Amino acid sequence: MVAVLSDLAPLDVFDADYLYFYETFQTAAVNEVETELVARLLDLEGTHDVLDACCGAGRIANRLAARGHRVTGIDSNPLFCRLGRSEAAAAAVTVDYRCEDIRHLADEASFDVVLSWFSSFGYWDDRTNVDILRRFRRALRPGGQLLLDLPNPALLMRQLGPGGEAVRRVRRAGEHDLMEDHIGVDLESSELQVSRRIVRNGADRTVHLACRLYTPSELSARLKRTRFGLTAILGDDGHALHADSTRQLLLATAI
Ligand SMILES: C[S@@+](CC[C@H](N)C(=O)[O-])C[C@H]1O[C@@H](n2cnc3c(N)ncnc32)[C@H](O)[C@@H]1O
């Protein structure tokens, strides 16, 4: 395992192969269910200004726009922004896709909601992560809401085998295409480390991803420091977080 938490966003992981393998479980139906959960947790009645921070190819942003919200999607990956735009056009919805680095977000009091969905936070050192929360706070109007969706560290730790590693495989095209994750946690730095083997189109390559794992109380402390009031800590089903929740969802209000 290599530790790669640094200044550099792990952009090599987020590419066409990522979308290819992830669409096996992020199907249109799943994306719709997740969008419904987002809307329910944020109580999104009427029309709101929503920032989808690190929106990927727009699977949630476009669906929120279809529900009548004014959505801005920021992602640093040009391919994902392009795909988001073309899916928006096909669905006849409008999303303002901005191909930008979230670490430079400078919007002020422009949004009712900042959404950070599906592990889109924590890729940097703690100081940078906290700075991003501060930028989210600045981008929100007073009373605006932040929804963070991150892995549940309690579950992740339990999934590690005796060697301190978990292995996950996703196959497509029969046995031909493979995404194989070797997942570990550096306990000293609380860093989730993924070594990902991708076998596809005749190539066999390995990419690395690292992400700071935060417990709910660590996140809560950082949210307080950045002038958020924590409203709820939930599991992936939108009910109370528990040891088997795959995700932790933190809802906070700009104060
Ligand atoms: C795990 S994906 C989640 C995407 C999306 N939120 C979803 O629900 O599918 C994380 C996203 O963060 C984006 N990303 C990584 N570093 C970034 C940065 N510095 N600025 C903006 N986006 C970034 C990647 O391009 C990728 O689309």
Side-chain angles (χ1 to χ4, degrees):
M1 287 286 167
V2 271
V4 291
L5 261 189
S6 73
D7 263 8
L8 298 171
L11 287 179
D12 57 340
V13 169
F14 299 116
D15 59 9
D17 286 340
Y18 167 89
L19 296 177
Y20 173 75
F21 286 104
Y22 275 64
E23 75 186 10
T24 57
F25 47 92
Q26 288 177 342
T27 59
V30 166
N31 296 342
E32 198 52 54
V33 168
E34 290 187 13
T35 306
E36 174 59 32
L37 178 63
V38 167
R40 181 165 64 76
L41 293 177
L42 291 162
D43 202 11
L44 290 184
E45 292 295 320
T47 299
H48 295 274
D49 291 305
V50 179
L51 169 61
D52 188 348
C54 302
C55 59
R59 66 191 184 91
I60 307 294
N62 288 342
R63 286 175 171 80
L64 287 174
R67 290 168 178 243
H69 302 294
R70 290 180 292 265
V71 183
T72 299
I74 292 184
D75 201 283
S76 55
N77 186 310
L79 168 68
F80 289 5
C81 289
R82 227 171 30 245
L83 291 171
R85 279 186 203 112
S86 64
E87 195 193 285
V93 299
T94 306
V95 170
D96 181 14
Y97 280 101
R98 290 166 33 189
C99 190
E100 294 170 10
D101 190 322
I102 205 66
R103 288 170 297 179
H104 302 147
L105 179 70
D107 297 59
E108 286 186 31
S110 313
F111 299 100
D112 305 308
V113 166
V114 172
L115 174 66
S116 173
W117 196 249
F118 193 63
S119 303
S120 292
F121 173 79
Y123 290 117
W124 306 278
D125 57 63
D126 189 49
R127 179 194 289 253
T128 309
N129 293 333
V130 171
D131 184 59
I132 289 170
L133 290 180
R134 203 165 279 123
R135 288 169 188 273
F136 286 168
R137 172 63 189 83
R138 260 207 307 271
L140 281 168
R141 301 183 178 121
Q145 298 185 87
L146 170 66
L147 178 55
L148 284 177
D149 164 28
L150 295 167
N152 176 11
L155 178 68
L156 252 166
M157 292 304 298
R158 280 199 295 122
Q159 288 174 333
L160 301 180
E165 189 180 273
V167 180
R168 281 187 207 146
R169 293 185 186 86
V170 179
R171 294 184 190 278
R172 277 196 79 172
E175 295 294 295
H176 278 99
D177 299 340
L178 171 71
M179 180 176 83
E180 182 178 272
D181 283 350
H182 293 259
I183 302 163
V185 177
D186 181 317
L187 296 175
E188 214 182 318
S189 60
S190 290
E191 192 179 300
L192 171 71
Q193 299 173 346
V194 181
S195 176
R196 172 169 292 171
R197 180 174 168 220
I198 302 277
V199 183
R200 191 186 172 205
N201 292 333
D204 186 339
R205 64 194 178 94
T206 299
V207 290
H208 299 281
L209 170 70
C211 186
R212 172 69 153 82
L213 275 180
Y214 287 104
T215 63
S217 67
E218 287 173 329
L219 283 168
S220 162
R222 282 152 183 79
L223 287 167
K224 274 191 197 124
R225 260 162 57 197
T226 51
R227 293 190 299 124
F228 280 102
L230 187 64
T231 328
I233 303 175
L234 306 167
D236 45 288
D237 54 2
H239 297 293
L241 179 71
H242 55 85
D244 290 323
S245 302
T246 54
R247 322 279 312 157
Q248 54 172 332
L249 309 182
L250 277 89
L251 201 51
T253 305
I255 50 176

